[in-house]
Amino acid sequence: MDKRKEINKYRFADPQRTYNICCELLEQGKQSGNDYDIAYAYLYMGDAVFAMGNADEALKYLMMAEKVQKQNGFDEQRMTTYNIIGGIYSNMGDLQLSLDYYHAAMELARKYSNIELQAMIYNNVGVVFTYAGDYVNASEYFKKSYEFLNQENDGDNELSCSRLSLYLNICEGLQNKKCYAEEKAYLDEVMKTIDKDTLIPFERIRVSHVYGMLYYETGEYEKAFDMCMKVVALCENNMNDIDLFDDYWDIVKLLINMDKIEYTYGILEGLSNMAEKSDIDRKRIQVCRLRIQIYEKTGEKEKYAQQLRRYYQLRERINTERNNIIISAIDNRCRLEDERKNNRRLNEDNLKLMRESEVDELTGVYNRLAFRRRYDRMYRYALRNAHTYCMGIFDIDFFKVYNDSYGHIRGDKCLKQIAAILMHTSDGDFCVARYGGDEFVFMAYDVSEEKVRDFLHRLIENVKNAAIEFDSKPDGTDKVTISAGAVIQQHATEGTRLTDLLKQADKMLYEVKQAGKDDYKISELVYFTEK
């Protein structure tokens, strides 16, 4: 079967399998020089990784997809990329940035008359307004989505299962407006057009969730409980899909309200794992609220107080982040509005710059800004879980001589090759970036010294095996090599700064350079001050 068809087949049913197929397609595309396959692979790798709960990694793949799409004019892929990125930012709570990406996706969907994608975008914007508590606007966008879907169906009564989620969102919009009779009639009519035997677990969970919520609101508690138990039965093997987080949350809430707390613990533990894996505080606080309600009902006072403290800590952190987002959104919005008035093309270029602000233009890996931002998030996670933390830095041996000998064009090509080797060798285990010039950095949490040594050994060997010519190299060898230094902190510690780790790693790099280069050295973090 064609790889792209396989990806579409398993996209909703099995994110891990989808990711694996994407990796195969990526390798196939690189070997054949097929940029369309490369962009397609990156696009759905991002989609699959997000479904498995890793938003940051997903955005990295999607940015890589967008870059290839932009370079080659793959606009019909790009509109899907923007739609997925909009969904990720919506889940992360950055609703303004989410709307910006949906706007970019809609412009392309209109340009290419993609009716179904326009319907999806209207639906997704409705979800954004639902998150914001604006049910009136949410309902209007769901209505637009419905109109576009009918236009696309063009009289065909068969409803594709892949579009079922769109209709279920419309039902939820009616439910938020308390139009229960209208929702029930609409939902029953939709389900008549579905072959229920073909539904995948993801869709069965979503359908049971919507019916469960509806039955509860209309006082049919026995039916509501039956729907909840269907979700509980299905969730055991489907707790890795972040898109189902809100559905599971609602089901736990219903079970608590119906005093069926004994059925909540398994699904609640799964929700907690999903929230931690996604590293999204909005989801952590949702889990916290459920635990507070449970412990209040069960009379577990100590656990109740503990969750209340966690709740207020999370609220304070979210409020700080939200204020930063608002300030950033206002700045971005003012800039975008000015540019739209002057030149639409200039606006599009600026949007591209905004999206690529975290990607090094030359090499395609993260830049210094992105690395610093990710350190803040990754180190917080390591601190919460008492994980080890690793920071490393490497550069190209005698790179100034290389540039002087071959010129900056060859120098840039060399940097690109080194960055590609770094990405391949790290294979997602380390966050990697170009820090400046010929310096690259990497970091990871919860890694052993053995794993770091293995990574650095393979990285150095892979650079050698690439056999990048360097005839004028001062040490008498004729191939490009690198030197690296790294530091491992056995337990993440409050107050540790990025500069603390980088200074120690840089000290190790300096010692390698003094000893002859083409090697690496690792130490434990020792706090020191500059003289």
Side-chain angles (χ1 to χ4, degrees), residues 177-189:
K177 292 175 64 180
K178 303 188 184 304
C179 300
Y180 303 127
E182 185 180 351
E183 179 194 2
K184 179 67 164 61
Y186 176 74
L187 185 55
D188 288 344
E189 189 62 32

Side-chain angles (χ1 to χ4, degrees), residues 46 48-59 88 242 277-278 428 445:
V49 167
F50 177 64
M52 292 186 285
N54 194 329
D56 282 339
E57 192 73 8
L59 288 170
I88 292 175
I242 196 71
K277 188 176 180 182
S278 71
Y445 55 77

Side-chain angles (χ1 to χ4, degrees), residues 65-107:
E66 190 232 11
K67 191 166 188 176
V68 180
Q69 292 157 1
K70 203 65 155 120
Q71 289 171 345
N72 293 275
F74 300 149
D75 285 351
E76 296 195 51
Q77 267 194 41
R78 190 155 56 98
M79 66 180 84
T80 302
T81 300
Y82 291 159
N83 185 47
I84 293 172
I85 293 175
I88 292 175
Y89 280 119
S90 174
N91 266 275
M92 293 173 72
D94 192 339
L95 303 187
Q96 185 61 60
L97 193 51
S98 173
L99 290 174
D100 283 343
Y101 275 100
Y102 285 143
H103 173 78
M106 181 62 81
E107 285 191 336

Side-chain angles (χ1 to χ4, degrees), residues 244-298:
L244 289 172
F245 184 93
D246 290 331
D247 300 75
Y248 290 144
W249 190 91
D250 284 337
I251 291 299
V252 174
K253 176 78 172 172
L254 288 188
L255 289 169
I256 294 171
N257 290 345
M258 292 186 290
D259 292 323
K260 304 289 186 181
I261 291 173
E262 64 271 25
Y263 299 103
T264 65
Y265 294 113
I267 193 168
L268 185 57
E269 187 62 30
L271 277 173
S272 182
N273 292 335
M274 289 170 79
E276 290 305 318
K277 188 176 180 182
S278 71
D279 200 21
I280 298 174
D281 282 338
R282 184 178 69 84
K283 297 193 181 301
R284 290 191 182 101
I285 207 165
Q286 285 179 266
V287 174
C288 196
R289 286 167 57 193
L290 292 174
R291 292 192 188 280
I292 288 170
Q293 291 176 3
I294 288 174
Y295 297 141
E296 185 178 22
K297 284 207 169 197
T298 58

Side-chain angles (χ1 to χ4, degrees), residues 301-513:
K301 294 181 180 179
E302 187 174 335
K303 290 181 178 179
Y304 175 76
Q306 181 185 27
Q307 288 301 314
L308 271 181
R309 286 193 294 272
R310 177 166 169 75
Y311 174 84
Y312 287 114
Q313 288 169 355
L314 287 168
R315 287 300 310 175
E316 184 176 353
R317 193 159 74 194
I318 285 174
N319 287 336
T320 300
E321 291 176 355
R322 181 177 294 147
N323 288 338
N324 291 334
I325 287 170
I326 290 171
I327 292 168
S328 176
I330 291 171
D331 290 342
N332 289 340
R333 180 57 55 195
C334 290
R335 183 162 58 250
L336 286 172
E337 288 302 324
D338 288 340
E339 288 168 356
R340 285 191 182 110
K341 290 176 183 177
N342 294 329
N343 189 304
R344 291 185 67 84
R345 181 172 295 176
L346 180 61
N347 174 59
E348 184 175 330
D349 289 342
N350 193 60
L351 273 172
K352 178 175 181 290
L353 289 172
M354 289 170 62
R355 289 188 295 274
E356 293 184 346
S357 63
E358 293 193 333
V359 177
D360 180 63
E361 183 180 3
L362 176 65
T363 62
V365 298
Y366 283 140
N367 58 22
R368 182 188 297 218
L369 173 64
F371 193 73
R372 288 180 177 276
R373 287 175 175 171
R374 272 147 189 78
Y375 169 78
D376 291 339
R377 177 174 291 181
M378 290 172 64
Y379 200 85
R380 282 203 311 268
Y381 182 83
L383 187 63
R384 283 196 299 271
N385 294 279
H387 285 325
T388 59
Y389 206 87
C390 166
M391 180 73 66
I393 184 169
F394 73 87
D395 64 16
I396 301 170
D397 297 328
F398 305 108
F399 188 66
K400 185 179 184 305
V401 178
Y402 186 95
N403 258 342
D404 291 343
S405 300
Y406 295 106
H408 289 286
I409 293 177
R410 280 279 295 275
D412 285 352
K413 182 179 179 182
C414 177
L415 289 170
K416 289 179 183 179
Q417 289 176 281
I418 296 297
I421 293 168
L422 174 61
M423 287 285 287
H424 173 75
T425 309
S426 68
D427 196 27
D429 292 332
F430 293 82
C431 176
V432 300
R434 182 185 178 199
Y435 209 64
D438 65 317
E439 287 185 332
F440 292 83
V441 287
F442 59 89
M443 62 182 169
Y445 55 77
D446 196 23
V447 289
S448 64
E449 182 175 336
E450 181 182 0
K451 185 170 184 177
V452 178
R453 288 189 182 278
D454 175 68
F455 166 65
L456 286 173
H457 175 75
R458 287 186 295 109
L459 179 62
I460 288 172
E461 289 303 308
N462 288 343
V463 170
K464 288 180 184 176
N465 293 336
I468 303 171
E469 184 182 350
F470 192 176
D471 290 333
S472 56
K473 195 175 178 191
D475 64 1
T477 61
D478 62 353
K479 299 293 184 294
V480 167
T481 57
I482 63 170
S483 299
V487 59
I488 296 178
Q489 189 180 26
Q490 291 304 321
H491 298 286
T493 306
E494 190 73 50
T496 301
R497 299 167 300 177
L498 173 63
T499 51
D500 296 327
L501 294 162
L502 276 176
K503 283 178 183 176
Q504 188 76 357
D506 193 53
K507 184 180 179 184
M508 295 301 99
L509 173 59
Y510 176 78
E511 291 182 10
V512 172
K513 293 285 190 182

